Structures are given as C-alpha cells and as structure tokens.
Amino acid sequence: MLSRKVTFAAAAAATGVLVLSACGGGGDDGGSATDAAAAGAATGPITYVQGKDNSNIVQPAIDKWNAAHPDEKVTLKEQTDQADQQHDDLVQNFQAKNADYDVVSVDNIWTSEFAAKGWLQPLTGDYALDTSTLLPATVTAETYNKTLFAGPTSSDGGLLYYRKDLVPTPPKSWDELMSMCDIATQNGIDCYAGQYAQYEGLTVNVAEAINTFGGSILSEDGKTATLDTPEAKKGLDALVKGFADGDIPKQATTYQEEQGRQSFEDGKLLFLRNWPYVYSLAKTDGSSTVKDTFGVAVLPGDGDGKPGASSLGGHAAGISVYSDHKKTALEFIKFLQSEEIQNDWLTQGSAAPVIASLYDDPALVEQFPYLPELKTSIENAVPRPVTPFYPAVTKAIQDNAFSALSGSKTTDAALTDMQAAVQNAISGGQ
C-alpha cells in the first residue's frame, strides 16, 4: 500500500441540492434532459464503492448512516485491496454507465483522469462542498481545471521515523540527515531507506525529493514537463548520491512500504521514510525491537528551514454522473466528512483526518503523538502530478528514476529521458 487505504476527511456542510446541474448523469435511458436531471437529483438507496476495508471502519459508519436514513440506505461494495484493480474496476463500470456505482472512493491521483473523462459530478453550484475546514492540500488534490470533483475523505503524508536512542534530535535537512549516517555505520546498521522498488512508491519518493529541492514535474497548468531544471537535478541527485555512497542500502531498490518497515522494526535502519500506519505497528508488533526507541519527525528539507515536501496520499469520494440518487450521494459524502466519522476513523483505525482542527485536539494528540508532525507534513505536501495522463506519467518517472538509482543511467540522462517521456505522455502519447 502506498498509504492507508482509508484515511479521513474534513467536515463539510454544503448547500442543499435542489436540482441536478446540466452536466449530471442518468441521460442514457432515452428520457429528456429534464427527466434525467430530476432523476439524478432524487434521493434513495445508493452504493458506496471502495477498496477492501482492512481496518473495518467503513461498515460501522455506514450502519450509523442507515440507522438514521432508512429510506436512503447505503450498501458497501468492497473491491480488492490492490489499487490497480480498484482503478480498473471503476473504469469498467464508468464506461458501462453503471448507475449502481453511486459514490466511489478515488485515489487522489485518479481524480483528474476521471474528471477529464466526464465521469465525476462537479462539486459546484447545488453540489458545492464547504472546504473551509479542510487541510488545503487535500482540496487541491481533488481539483481539476479549477473545479472540485471529489470530496476528500482521506489524507496522508510521509514521516521520518528515526532511532531516538541513537539520534536525540532528528535532522531538519537532507544534508544533516546524510551527515548522521556515520552513526549508523558505528552501530552496524543501514542509514536511510524509503520506497525505491519500481512501483508507485518510487514516484512518491522521487517526487518528494524533486519538490523538496524546489523543482517540479509538471507546470501548474499540467501541460508542460518541468524536469529539465537545476532544482529537479538536485533532488534526484540527492537520492542517487545516497545510493552511490552506501548511505541508502542497495537492497532498498527492492523496498516497498512493508520491507522498509520490517527493516526498521528489526533494528536495521537508523532512518525510515514511510506513512503514519507504521507508528502503531512499530509500537505493538511483538517482533518490533524499537518499540521504545523510535521517534517521528517531519521529512527533512533542503536546508532553508522549511520541512520536506511530502507527496500527498489519501482518497476522496466522488459522485458518479450516472447515479440516479445524487442528492443522497452528496449528503452521504458530507456524512463521511463529518467530525464524528472522522474522529471514529482516526481512533478506531488510525486513519488520518483531513479536518485540520482534529490534529490539534489534545486528547487525540495524547493518543496519537505523531499528529502534529503529520499535520505539518500534509500542510507542506505536494500532490503528485495532476493530469488525466497520470498512468503514463508515473511510468515515465519510475522507469527513469529506477535506472538512475540502480546506476544504469546518470542523473542527467535519467532526467533528460524522463522529461521527454513525461512530455510525450501529457501530449496524449503513450
């Protein structure tokens, strides 16, 4: 997993839904546009589609909704726990104009793709959500062409786990972190690892390095690749040099989230970049050797005093344009974003809320001490490239970054090839 599959989102009260906007769905039944709009704006039973609920927190929330809304009951349809399979299932059902997929959970990297294809109801006008209480980065991630297309229902940010028995004060910059690798050598352990296998986690980590050093992958309008810059080079080169110097172990090119977590819990790593889910496992796993000796900090920056730029994780709930009960769908999204459900999901499943105020709640901070660092991480996070062509963009990043980290391409060559492949992808090429 790249992040908690279910993490949670912001309180949002929206204006009442009166009629369906003209871009609504339901128009494939041969009826008039007016009839389709009226049907779409109706209330009634809906289905909520999301990946496997491994934390068992979604069904209890749905049970609360159903008890209060006997005429608008929600049925949970669980997909697999594999993100690619979830994505493909949604695509197939959107293409089939399946009205039974009323509300769908979308990874924030899918929103722009689905929005560009006209599959998600824009959350504007009668469908507008109040986003004032949300962490801004979560809203940005669900916005395409200046329009919100999904309501954030999860968030996540990268954190730095470190051995506080060996490093009393965590590093604030990448150079400071690398300078502490002598401590790892003296203790016979590896220094630092993230997720560097050739999969989506590599895009996450490479994007963090590039963004932290002031670079970017795409222009703000998403139409131009921007990898041919000194800042992007500095970011990727920081990782390449880490591998070349041995400060990042060569086996980290096989690490996804779990391999790095296990190495850290086994006492074999001084520093680990990973998601918040690691905290409770490192504290409670019977095999963890670091239960009382690890701390959590924000990701290191580039030395300018700012924290590192995490890639933003998380999910959102979108309304299918083909749903016949969009009014109920909208109210259900507001329910998922309510403080009650957000609090439940945090306390019962360690899911990161997107309501900003929950990160400052003293009782919650006592239970989850990493919340202040996680809030800082999310506040400084950068969404992965917002583009309808994301699958081709992430492949271009992974292919070329992996070549650089494994030593088969220089940083310059990798970025040149990455720039060309990303530009080709966003120009509609594959």
Side-chain angles (χ1 to χ4, degrees), residues 102 151 199 231 260 293 301 327-328 380 383 427:
D102 298 275
Y199 79 119
E231 293 81 8
T293 58
K327 182 174 182 179
T328 296
N380 290 275
S427 299

Side-chain angles (χ1 to χ4, degrees), residues 25-105:
D28 59 316
D29 59 357
S32 68
T34 302
D35 292 340
T43 61
I46 62 171
T47 297
Y48 174 55
V49 183
Q50 75 147 62
K52 187 170 178 58
D53 180 21
N54 290 319
S55 298
N56 192 33
I57 54 178
V58 176
Q59 188 60 56
I62 290 175
D63 291 342
K64 284 187 177 182
W65 167 276
N66 288 343
H69 302 82
D71 297 325
E72 300 175 82
K73 288 193 172 181
V74 174
T75 299
L76 173 64
K77 173 179 169 49
E78 283 188 279
Q79 302 164 302
T80 72
D81 59 1
Q82 298 298 309
D84 289 347
Q85 294 173 10
Q86 295 165 20
H87 172 274
D88 293 347
D89 175 62
L90 293 179
V91 168
Q92 291 166 10
N93 281 276
F94 281 138
Q95 289 175 335
K97 300 182 179 180
N98 184 359
D100 293 333
Y101 272 44
D102 298 275
V103 179
V104 297
S105 178

